[in-house]
């Protein structure tokens, strides 16, 4: 069931989506999403807080280091459904929904370990909790994507500005992005090919 408080008849209720919807071959959709996510400096994972149920911001698997003693891991244990959001300086964005697992397997931690983790975990001086690859506080959050929606910009900043100005004058939705959705079925198809 979706929310709607109006009937637009035969016209699209969301003209922006209608104007920008782009549905290329699955390989291009997934490839462009991976390329965009890799280019982002930051991403934000949203989890559900166990005590209140509120969301907290804090073919596609994403891996992130975590301190297993943080509140984030408590949230994920309570409810593994998450959303990862990415945004760049050009206004391009991605929203990936899925489930998260907390992985403490030392082999995986070592494989993806980075010495900069010491800056976040610190050395507790006990010879065990030193921020190194064997520190038991270091784990990996593995996100298995279930759906993804993203928008990558088309044209230059000037041409996008023109589209917005044109839409303001004419009432026609601006065509400024390639707006794409990857369904759960498409992600499963992508995984089966790999």
């Amino acid at each position: 069931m979706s929310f709607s408080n109006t009937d637009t008849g035969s016209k699209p209720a969301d003209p922006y989506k209608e104007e920008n919807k782009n549905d290329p071959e699955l390989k291009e959709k997934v490839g462009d999403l991976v390329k965009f996510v890799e280019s982002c400096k930051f991403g934000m994972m949203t989890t559900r807080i166990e005590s209140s149920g509120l969301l907290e911001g804090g073919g596609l698997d994403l891996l992130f280091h975590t301190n297993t003693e943080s509140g984030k891991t408590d949230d994920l244990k309570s409810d593994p459904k998450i959303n990862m959001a990415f945004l760049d300086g050009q206004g391009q964005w991605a929203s990936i929904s899925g489930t998260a697992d907390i992985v403490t397997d030392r082999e995986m931690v070592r494989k993806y370990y980075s010495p900069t983790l010491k800056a976040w975990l610190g050395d507790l001086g006990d010879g065990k909790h030193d921020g190194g690859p064997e520190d038991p506080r270091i784990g990996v959050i593995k996100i298995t994507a279930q759906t993804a929606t993203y928008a990558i910009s088309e044209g230059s900043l000037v041409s996008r500005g023109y589209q917005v100005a044109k839409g303001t004058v004419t009432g026609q939705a601006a065509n400024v992005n390639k707006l794409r959705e990857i369904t759960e079925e498409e992600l499963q198809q992508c995984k089966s090919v790999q």
Side-chain angles (χ1 to χ4, degrees):
M1 174 187 268
S2 64
F3 174 83
S4 178
N5 65 347
T6 189
D7 180 1
T8 60
S10 63
K11 299 196 186 246
D14 186 351
Y16 166 81
K17 182 176 180 180
E18 196 71 24
E19 186 67 30
N20 290 279
K21 184 80 172 160
N22 181 271
D23 196 22
E25 293 290 320
L26 179 58
K27 184 176 180 178
E28 181 181 345
K29 283 200 296 191
V30 172
D32 284 350
L33 175 62
V34 168
K35 181 178 170 185
F36 172 69
V37 168
E38 287 178 344
S39 75
C40 286
K41 187 171 183 174
F42 301 104
M44 179 175 285
M45 178 179 10
T46 304
T47 61
R48 195 172 305 276
I49 301 170
E50 179 180 14
S51 61
S52 66
L54 298 175
L55 291 176
E56 177 185 79
L60 193 60
D61 291 340
L62 305 172
L63 302 175
F64 300 91
H65 286 105
T66 190
N67 178 345
T68 59
E69 306 309 304
S70 73
K72 183 71 64 191
T73 54
D74 293 339
D75 297 343
L76 291 172
K77 186 172 187 213
S78 168
D79 186 349
K81 296 180 186 87
I82 60 90
N83 178 271
M84 282 294 303
F86 297 89
L87 178 67
D88 73 7
Q90 306 299 313
Q92 300 178 112
W93 57 268
S95 174
I96 302 170
S97 297
T99 56
D101 289 315
I102 303 163
V103 181
T104 56
D105 174 69
R106 297 325 306 158
E107 187 176 324
M108 181 179 263
V109 169
R110 277 187 230 100
K111 181 177 180 179
Y112 296 106
Y113 178 78
S114 168
T116 57
L117 289 170
K118 288 183 178 186
W120 304 108
L121 283 103
D123 185 343
L124 301 184
D126 63 2
K128 183 176 184 179
H129 302 96
D130 59 3
E134 301 306 319
D135 187 327
R137 297 175 297 167
I138 299 175
V140 174
I141 296 174
K142 179 183 177 189
I143 297 171
T144 303
Q146 292 176 324
T147 63
T149 302
Y150 68 102
I152 51 178
S153 298
E154 283 193 314
S156 68
L157 184 59
V158 172
S159 69
R160 293 191 314 264
Y162 169 76
Q163 286 290 324
V164 171
K166 177 180 155 189
T168 302
V169 171
T170 66
Q172 178 183 349
N175 184 354
V176 294
N177 292 316
K178 293 179 182 176
L179 184 61
R180 297 177 175 170
E181 296 175 351
I182 303 175
T183 66
E184 189 169 5
E185 292 78 22
E186 287 175 318
L187 285 171
Q188 289 300 322
Q189 179 184 346
C190 182
K191 286 180 183 180
S192 68
V193 173
Q194 294 176 345

